[in-house]
Amino acid sequence: DAMVIQNPRYQVTQFGKPVTLSCSQTLNHNVMYWYQQKSSQAPKLLFHYYDKDFNNEADTPDNFQSRRPNTSFCFLDIRSPGLGDAAMYLCATSRVGSGTEAFFGQGTRLTVV
Amino acid sequence: QQPVQSPQAVILREGEDAVINCSSSKALYSVHWYRQKHGEAPVFLMILLKGGEQKGHDKISASFNEKKQQSSLYLTASQLSYSGTYFCGTGGHNNNDMRFGAGTRLTVKP
């Protein structure tokens, strides 16, 4: 059974048109992450939540926002997608603490046209 | 800060061995290893927590040298299914900001 679910799997959006990606988890994990992964590159951390505490990476563009209304759900909002934002977006969760693995969703592949 | 992985790519014949290295300029509290196949999400392999810890299952194992801020992943007698990109992930004390190395693309050929 999928424990971290991302919707949709594929998203096509127009240049400049706001888009929202969603992630839900059934693991009750405190920590949720959003990563951006471009072709043949490592997943790049955009931000993470520890419960409701939001932590933005210094180099995450302002164009990217996130919301976590409750433990189970987390959203990634791209306010004005550019062609350079086309990528796979991965959501992951973990319990707090250094001994815990991260569980990844299947990802949402975003195409900007 | 991202950990540094080497090599960038490895090509093996079935049955050969490989080592992938991961190092960090910051103190490491844990090292995670993941494998990602094309178009799929990363899949967890193992975590190492303590300096000197070694872990393994099947023919994949890893070591963690906390003092040197390094970890290595060992793939022994590689199988075709080992092909993929291997990432090491390192996080802070509470594992709340896990960052990945650039990845090592492993190709195992018959």
Side-chain angles (χ1 to χ4, degrees):
Chain A
D1 291 335
M3 296 177 284
V4 182
I5 301 165
Q6 289 188 244
N7 283 304
R9 289 289 308 276
Y10 302 92
Q11 175 75 57
V12 180
T13 192
Q14 289 180 331
F15 182 94
K17 184 174 180 182
V19 65
T20 295
L21 311 182
S22 74
C23 177
S24 63
Q25 55 137 336
T26 59
L27 297 163
N28 207 33
H29 283 169
N30 305 90
V31 189
M32 293 187 80
Y33 310 83
W34 279 106
Y35 292 90
Q36 178 193 63
Q37 187 176 28
K38 297 190 177 181
S39 183
S40 302
Q41 295 183 22
K44 178 182 178 303
L45 183 62
L46 295 174
F47 19 63
H48 72 272
Y49 281 91
Y50 172 24
D51 290 329
K52 290 202 168 185
D53 290 338
F54 175 71
N55 297 272
N56 200 28
E57 291 296 292
D59 57 355
T60 297
D62 292 341
N63 198 24
F64 291 85
Q65 304 284 316
S66 183
R67 297 169 281 137
R68 188 179 185 186
N70 54 51
T71 301
S72 302
F73 286 88
C74 196
F75 300 97
L76 171 62
D77 301 308
I78 309 177
R79 293 194 294 192
S80 181
L83 298 177
D85 297 328
M88 174 77 87
Y89 289 87
L90 293 165
C91 171
T93 74
S94 72
R95 286 182 287 116
V96 68
S98 57
T100 60
E101 68 181 273
F103 292 80
F104 283 85
Q106 288 294 98
T108 295
R109 182 165 295 282
L110 179 70
T111 301
V112 182
V113 298
Chain B
Q1 196 167 3
Q2 251 182 314
V4 176
Q5 275 185 248
S6 64
Q8 285 187 322
V10 182
I11 299 175
L12 300 173
R13 292 282 177 198
E14 236 180 326
E16 291 181 339
D17 302 340
V19 180
I20 300 170
N21 299 303
C22 176
S23 64
S24 173
S25 57
K26 284 172 56 174
L28 292 178
Y29 296 96
S30 63
V31 177
H32 301 222
W33 286 97
Y34 292 81
R35 177 173 60 214
Q36 186 178 32
K37 301 219 177 222
H38 183 70
E40 298 179 9
V43 172
F44 172 76
L45 295 175
M46 63 190 81
I47 295 176
L48 298 106
L49 296 178
K50 300 173 194 171
E53 185 173 26
Q54 297 194 37
K55 273 190 179 178
H57 55 84
D58 290 334
K59 295 189 171 78
I60 300 176
S61 62
S63 64
F64 179 22
N65 187 324
E66 193 175 8
K67 280 189 177 177
K68 291 186 178 179
Q69 296 167 190
Q70 292 175 347
S71 176
S72 294
L73 186 72
Y74 306 93
L75 299 109
T76 307
S78 57
Q79 305 167 17
L80 296 176
S81 62
Y82 288 3
S83 291
T85 301
Y86 289 78
F87 293 101
C88 69
T90 60
H93 183 61
N94 286 320
N95 199 44
N96 292 351
D97 57 349
M98 189 165 57
R99 293 177 177 82
F100 290 94
T104 297
R105 184 187 293 266
L106 181 79
T107 304
V108 181
K109 295 189 172 180

